[in-house]
Amino acid sequence: MDLGCGHGAVTALAESVARNNLRHFRITYLDISDAAVDLFKAQHPAVAAVCASADDIPLPDAFFDHVVSQFGIEYAPAAADEAARVLRHGGSVAFLMHLKNGAIWDECRANRDALGGVRDSGALPAFIRLVEESLALREGRGSRDAFEQADRDLAPCVKAMEAVLEAHGKAIGGGLVFRTYADIAHMYRKMNAFEPAEVIAWAEKVEAAMAAWRERMQSMLDAVLDETALGAWRDRLTAGGLSMDEPARLALGEPARDGAWILRGKKVSR
């Protein structure tokens, strides 16, 4: 069973290994998101997909030989107890978990801060207002003064967005911040060539995408584990009948930096 698996990368890999080696595994994918489960089921119909929280697994005791999770189980506080419950005697757990102050932590924090900086700049709302004033002027229901004021109001917002890019680089937020900045500049120069309603819809869609990404980054930061928190997870798994290995750290990137915790163990009591 793969817990809190999102897009299902680990589950898909397990399915591929089973298929390529002509072995039969009963593989179960579990995630709390209906959308994620539906998408995975459409792509992998042979895998059992369950929509549920990892801290309340709707399956019997001692049901699995292996329980795994890649950056998912730590979001569910009671998932250690449930993982131990559904694991058979002699079965194993293997979890990759978020590490506080590691490489992934730093990346998530930088993305959150950059996307927050774009929000705080007010660039997208200011650009929407400029487009609205441009449309009103073209339709004869606005004024040149109001348009020019909206234009002046946009300038410091764009400067604040440029400061975000200078601080974090063009690749921050998967390149979304820079693409948004470049798109605003392009549409600003050729404003009369674009349909205002489409520009406003684009800006609102980008705002929503940035907000969702920022919330996702904050959720990841909230789920990270320091040594004390990881020890608590290890203790709960031990109480559930597992013999736990010493935690290890997964090195990522070049030069290599610690990026995640590796937590493994085997169930030794029923």
Side-chain angles (χ1 to χ4, degrees):
M1 167 172 261
D2 186 9
L3 294 176
C5 33
H7 295 300
V10 175
T11 310
L13 179 61
E15 183 189 28
S16 174
V17 169
R19 182 175 59 252
N20 292 339
N21 289 278
L22 301 178
R23 299 177 64 185
H24 174 69
F25 297 163
R26 184 183 68 221
I27 304 170
T28 300
Y29 162 110
L30 183 143
D31 197 88
I32 199 170
S33 166
D34 287 324
V37 171
D38 289 344
L39 179 60
F40 189 84
K41 286 168 67 174
Q43 296 173 341
H44 303 272
V47 175
V50 178
C51 185
S53 173
D55 57 14
D56 188 17
I57 300 172
L59 293 168
D61 296 354
F63 198 65
F64 294 102
D65 297 303
H66 308 284
V67 178
V68 301
S69 178
Q70 177 174 268
F71 303 127
I73 194 171
E74 58 267 51
Y75 291 91
D81 304 331
E82 283 291 271
R85 179 184 68 78
V86 300
L87 189 65
R88 288 176 178 158
H89 178 72
S92 66
V93 298
F95 304 142
L96 204 59
M97 308 174 83
H98 287 298
L99 166 70
K100 189 170 185 179
N101 297 321
I104 296 175
W105 154 274
D106 283 346
E107 182 180 346
C108 289
R109 186 172 55 176
N111 281 322
R112 179 205 61 187
D113 291 349
L115 294 166
V118 174
R119 175 201 59 198
D120 295 343
S121 76
L124 284 163
F127 186 59
I128 289 173
R129 181 177 168 233
L130 179 65
V131 172
E132 290 172 338
E133 292 296 343
S134 173
L135 176 61
L137 189 61
R138 277 190 271 170
E139 293 180 344
R141 54 183 177 81
S143 70
R144 172 61 61 178
D145 287 345
F147 172 79
E148 291 178 352
Q149 183 60 55
D151 191 28
R152 288 192 294 270
D153 291 343
L154 176 63
C157 299
V158 171
K159 288 291 184 183
M161 201 170 179
E162 289 172 348
V164 170
L165 287 166
E166 184 176 349
H168 295 282
K170 292 182 179 180
I172 198 69
L176 178 59
V177 174
F178 179 72
R179 289 196 303 273
T180 301
Y181 170 79
D183 286 345
I184 288 174
H186 176 67
M187 287 184 280
Y188 178 86
R189 289 192 297 267
K190 299 184 177 181
M191 193 171 300
N192 290 335
F194 293 92
E195 179 62 39
E198 293 180 359
V199 174
I200 292 170
W202 165 84
E204 291 173 345
K205 183 177 180 180
V206 171
E207 274 192 298
M210 286 190 177
W213 196 338
R214 189 173 64 250
E215 289 172 9
R216 190 163 65 250
M217 294 297 100
Q218 186 59 59
S219 178
M220 292 172 72
L221 292 170
D222 291 340
V224 297
L225 305 172
D226 59 15
E227 289 189 14
T228 300
L230 185 72
W233 273 86
R234 194 164 175 261
D235 289 346
R236 291 183 74 162
L237 289 162
T238 300
L242 279 81
S243 173
M244 300 301 298
D245 296 347
E246 284 297 316
R249 299 181 185 223
L250 177 68
L252 300 170
E254 186 62 44
R257 284 190 59 203
D258 289 342
W261 292 111
I262 302 172
L263 194 60
R264 291 179 290 202
K266 183 175 181 179
K267 194 162 187 179
V268 295
S269 64
R270 299 182 188 277

